[in-house]
């Protein structure tokens, strides 16, 4: 799950047509399209996927501030970092004991690194008489419906699709503990199912992630492929779904070029190989 900085979200959308991916009524959701290529640590001027924490959500939408866009083969725009061959970074951990305050996790660039849960964000005021609004992590007891696994966190409500600014906070919980917890719900066509721990891919809590690659090494359709994480084609609906996919230098669009945001943004192809222009999240008053 991911949290958003609402002000930063508004400024980003206004300046670059970027959209953040996240739940439409809560902080649950996926990572930002602006941080899509950052998931591998090489693209879009971003940092490694371990570096940020939402929007699920996000920080999740299409767009970004990649200042290094260049023309790929045939003159198609491409992310400059994808054009250069970069060796896999060295592992900084090998086992759980190497990360006493977090998790030793295989990142999308193929290196293992310690991932720590993100710091708790500033919470919003709870409306008077709103029983579902939490005031702190202590209000988020382990649910009894069997649908969550624990690690309850109190996070501000967010909305990536415009509208009135949400008020109050909502309890979010880990959805998984291991990759095996996610396998049974793998969508048709996806070949990868992983449990991203809190702090990875901009998740505030652990959540299942699906797609077509696990590391850069899986992206072999064209030279320079990078395994990235971004908002899938929404069809113009407020339906946030972030996926793992292979981005290539010769894709017809990049996170900042080749489409006409905010209506059309650069999204992963349905087979998780490459990118194309598709409809982004709707903007409504």
């Amino acid at each position: 799950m991911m949290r958003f900085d609402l002000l930063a979200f508004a400024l980003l959308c206004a300046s670059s047509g970027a959209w953040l991916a996240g739940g439409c009524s809560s902080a649950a959701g996926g990572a930002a399209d602006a941080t899509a290529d950052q998931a591998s640590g090489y693209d879009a001027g971003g940092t490694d996927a371990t570096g940020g924490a939402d929007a699920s959500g996000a920080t999740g939408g299409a767009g970004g501030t990649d200042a290094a866009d260049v023309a790929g083969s045939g003159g198609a725009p491409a992310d400059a970092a994808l054009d250069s061959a970069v060796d896999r970074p060295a592992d900084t951990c090998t086992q759980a004991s190497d990360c006493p305050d977090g998790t030793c996790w295989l990142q999308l660039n193929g290196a293992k690194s310690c991932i720590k849960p993100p710091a708790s964000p500033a919470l919003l005021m709870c409306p008077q008489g709103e029983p579902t609004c939490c005031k702190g992590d202590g209000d988020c007891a382990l649910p009894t419906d069997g649908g969550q696994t624990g690690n309850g966190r109190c996070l501000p409500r967010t909305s990536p699709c415009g509208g009135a600014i949400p008020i109050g906070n909502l309890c979010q919980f880990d959805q998984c503990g291991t990759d095996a917890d996610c396998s049974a719900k793998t969508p048709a066509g996806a070949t990868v199912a992983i449990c991203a721990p809190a702090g990875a891919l901009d998740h505030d809590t652990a959540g299942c992630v699906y797609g077509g690659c696990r590391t850069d090494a899986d992206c072999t359709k064209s030279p320079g492929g990078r395994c990235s994480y971004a908002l899938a084609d929404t069809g113009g609906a407020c339906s946030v779904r972030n996926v793992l996919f292979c981005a290539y230098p010769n894709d017809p669009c990049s996170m900042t070029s080749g489409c006409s945001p905010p209506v059309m943004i650069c999204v992963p192809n349905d087979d998780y190989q490459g990118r194309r222009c598709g409809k982004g999240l709707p903007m409504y008053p």
Side-chain angles (χ1 to χ4, degrees), residues 9 19-20 22-24 158-163 237-240 281-285:
F9 165 76
W19 283 100
L20 298 184
C24 293
T158 60
S159 174
C161 300
C238 187
S239 175
V240 176
L281 297 171
M283 178 184 293
Y284 54 82

